[in-house]
């Protein structure tokens, strides 16, 4: 017997697969808001799980806006020859995120004691 969450997952998948991105976005927001309301009722204390939900949502929205939210969507982009354009857009977003982080660090430098960065090698940007 499927749960309500199982059914909602199927609805979300069907919306995304049928490229109904605006409706899918609204549905995802609706689900998230109701999940948060249920969690607030269930717990009288704040739950900290260190999951960057805001960032995950931003990435999902970017993927949906660029029509690359699923494997079939990516395959469609590749088939139509738009993959290099998608890579350029992804690189631009990455560069913008790095610039934003650098600006935030510089703005609050007097209060920052340490800055850590993941050891990340971008294939198009080999380190010297």
């Amino acid at each position: 017997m499927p749960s309500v969450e199982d059914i909602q997952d199927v609805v979300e998948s069907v919306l995304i697969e049928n490229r109904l991105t605006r409706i899918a976005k609204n549905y995802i927001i609706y689900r998230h808001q109701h999940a948060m309301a249920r969690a607030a009722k269930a717990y009288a204390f704040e739950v900290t799980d260190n999951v960057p939900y805001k960032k995950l949502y931003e990435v999902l929205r970017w993927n949906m806006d660029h029509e690359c939210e699923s494997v079939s969507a990516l395959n469609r982009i590749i088939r139509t020859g738009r993959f290099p354009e998608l890579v350029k857009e992804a690189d631009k977003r990455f560069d913008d995120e790095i610039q934003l982080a650098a600006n935030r660090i510089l703005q609050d430098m007097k209060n920052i004691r340490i800055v850590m960065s993941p050891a990340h090698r971008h294939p198009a940007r080999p380190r010297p």
Side-chain angles (χ1 to χ4, degrees):
M1 184 68 110
S3 69
V4 171
E5 286 291 319
D6 293 334
I7 294 169
Q8 289 177 337
D9 288 344
V10 170
V11 169
E12 193 174 302
S13 294
V14 169
L15 290 171
I16 290 171
E17 287 171 8
N18 287 287
R19 302 176 75 183
L20 299 169
T21 54
R22 190 176 322 135
I23 296 170
K25 283 182 197 177
N26 290 335
Y27 190 69
I28 291 166
I29 291 168
Y30 166 83
R31 284 186 72 186
H32 178 70
Q33 289 172 340
H34 283 268
M36 296 300 286
R38 282 192 302 276
K41 287 180 184 177
Y43 301 104
F45 57 90
E46 184 178 335
V47 176
T48 304
D49 55 9
N50 294 322
V51 176
Y53 292 108
K54 182 179 177 189
K55 183 54 69 183
L56 290 172
Y57 177 71
E58 287 173 10
V59 170
L60 174 61
R61 285 191 52 167
W62 189 92
N63 288 346
M64 292 173 76
D65 289 344
H66 290 81
E67 299 177 347
C68 62
E69 70 282 348
S70 67
V71 173
S72 62
L74 280 172
N75 285 336
R76 189 171 28 257
I77 288 170
I78 292 166
R79 261 194 323 274
T80 59
R82 296 182 301 139
F83 189 69
E85 178 186 325
L86 178 64
V87 171
K88 285 180 186 175
E89 287 291 320
D91 279 346
K92 181 184 179 317
R93 179 183 169 109
F94 177 81
D95 291 341
D96 290 347
E97 292 276 335
I98 294 298
Q99 186 64 51
L100 179 64
N103 289 341
R104 287 182 178 167
I105 290 167
L106 291 172
Q107 286 174 354
D108 202 27
M109 193 64 140
K110 65 180 181 271
N111 297 318
I112 295 175
R113 295 172 62 187
I114 187 170
V115 175
M116 297 179 74
S117 173
H120 174 74
R121 283 187 74 169
H122 192 286
R125 299 183 189 114
R127 291 185 180 165

